[in-house]
Amino acid sequence: MSSHLYVSSTPPEVSSAKGLHLITQNTPNGQATQIILEELAAVYGTSFTTSLIDISTNEQKKEWFLRLNPNGRIPVVVDNTRSPPFPIFETSAQLLYLTDHFDKEKKFGPGFENPLERSEVEQWLFFWHGGGAPYQGQVNFFSKNAPDNEFAINRFKKETLRVFGVIELQLSGIYTASGQPRDYLVGEGKGKYSIADIKSWSWIKYYPMRFSEEEVNKKEFPHLLAWIDRIAARPAVKLGTGEKYVPKK
């Protein structure tokens, strides 16, 4: 046990975990890290264990959790392959860490075969982290907690749709060298599936909760909608968003 990371209230499955350990809930941010871990497991046999917590109970604000993530938010990854164990918080940082250290063949970025592609991955990763996720999160917050605040809801809906439009533009490929539609956000030609896709997809796929079919339609967002379905079909994505991460009742 690493004395500064763990206390008596730390759940035993966390303090005694070996290898990679994920503390999560099946939210958009949680799913992004769940997915990359499942992808790594599928390709390399990377092993990891998981603790599911209920953030509605404020478990993530307790001392044992704050020692791992002072920000008190899920998910958290603890890398027990290091001594002392090394905790990583913030989903984007986790995606970068896990691909840097466990994606030996650089299948999911960053880097791939071309070092400049690392910058591409980071650009799209940070684009969603700093823009799309906060905007879509505010749409969710005000729609649920202040449904009469039309100004706030409309403002954040407009910004979220603008960000969707940026991703649609990238996937359309009209400003790329080939001018052809892309399957993924980063890489030459049609692109290559990466953590940039994982990060944004885990949020964007929930658009039907707050946006109508008129707002997100096949005429304005054909490539975005096809991309959502394309990623959803991946076996590791199904695992990373599925029953494994739903608490047993």
Side-chain angles (χ1 to χ4, degrees), residues 204-242:
I204 295 173
K205 74 184 180 87
Y206 284 110
Y207 78 87
M209 292 179 61
R210 303 300 180 192
F211 294 87
S212 68
E213 290 185 4
E214 292 182 356
E215 291 171 313
V216 181
N217 59 75
K218 289 186 177 181
K219 181 178 180 180
E220 292 185 68
F221 298 101
H223 303 94
L224 176 76
L225 293 173
W227 170 83
I228 292 172
D229 291 342
R230 184 177 304 117
I231 294 175
R234 294 182 64 88
V237 171
K238 292 179 180 179
L239 283 174
T241 58

Side-chain angles (χ1 to χ4, degrees), residues 3-5 15 22 24 26 28 36 39-40 48 56 89 123 154 195 232 242 249:
S3 60
H4 74 285
L5 287 181
S15 59
L22 171 68
T24 189
N26 208 22
I36 190 58
E39 295 281 10
L40 293 171
F48 67 96
S56 70
F89 68 95
Q123 289 171 55
N154 290 335
I195 55 175
K249 295 182 179 179

Side-chain angles (χ1 to χ4, degrees), residues 114-134:
N114 179 352
L116 291 180
E117 288 179 338
R118 180 184 181 97
S119 178
E120 283 191 86
V121 170
E122 290 173 341
Q123 289 171 55
W124 286 102
L125 193 67
F126 298 158
F127 169 74
W128 185 261
H129 188 111

Side-chain angles (χ1 to χ4, degrees), residues 181-201:
R182 303 171 56 85
D183 288 341
Y184 303 108
L185 291 170
V186 173
E188 297 179 356
K190 288 186 172 295
K192 290 174 283 189
Y193 174 70
S194 76
I195 55 175
D197 298 290
I198 293 171
K199 173 67 178 183
S200 48
W201 178 89

Side-chain angles (χ1 to χ4, degrees), residues 44-78:
Y44 305 109
T46 305
S47 62
F48 67 96
T49 52
T50 305
S51 293
L52 303 180
I53 66 171
D54 182 354
I55 59 175
S56 70
T57 66
N58 276 336
E59 185 70 20
Q60 74 281 10
K61 304 302 181 183
K62 295 180 179 178
E63 180 189 355
W64 76 264
F65 191 98
L66 295 174
R67 283 175 174 265
L68 302 172
N69 177 7
N71 195 33
R73 294 178 181 271
I74 58 93
V76 173
V77 173
V78 183

Side-chain angles (χ1 to χ4, degrees), residues 135-154 156 210:
Y135 293 141
Q136 193 169 343
Q138 292 297 335
V139 172
N140 293 339
F141 176 84
F142 283 104
S143 296
K144 180 179 179 180
N145 299 293
D148 295 331
N149 192 335
E150 294 184 6
F151 175 82
I153 293 171
N154 290 335
F156 288 113
R210 303 300 180 192

Side-chain angles (χ1 to χ4, degrees), residues 145-197:
N145 299 293
D148 295 331
N149 192 335
E150 294 184 6
F151 175 82
I153 293 171
N154 290 335
R155 163 165 168 55
F156 288 113
K157 271 194 168 187
K158 182 178 179 181
E159 283 301 305
T160 303
L161 289 170
R162 181 187 67 78
V163 171
F164 285 5
V166 175
I167 293 179
E168 169 67 26
L169 183 64
Q170 175 71 358
L171 293 171
S172 75
I174 61 174
Y175 293 148
T176 63
S178 69
Q180 299 300 311
R182 303 171 56 85
D183 288 341
Y184 303 108
L185 291 170
V186 173
E188 297 179 356
K190 288 186 172 295
K192 290 174 283 189
Y193 174 70
S194 76
I195 55 175
D197 298 290

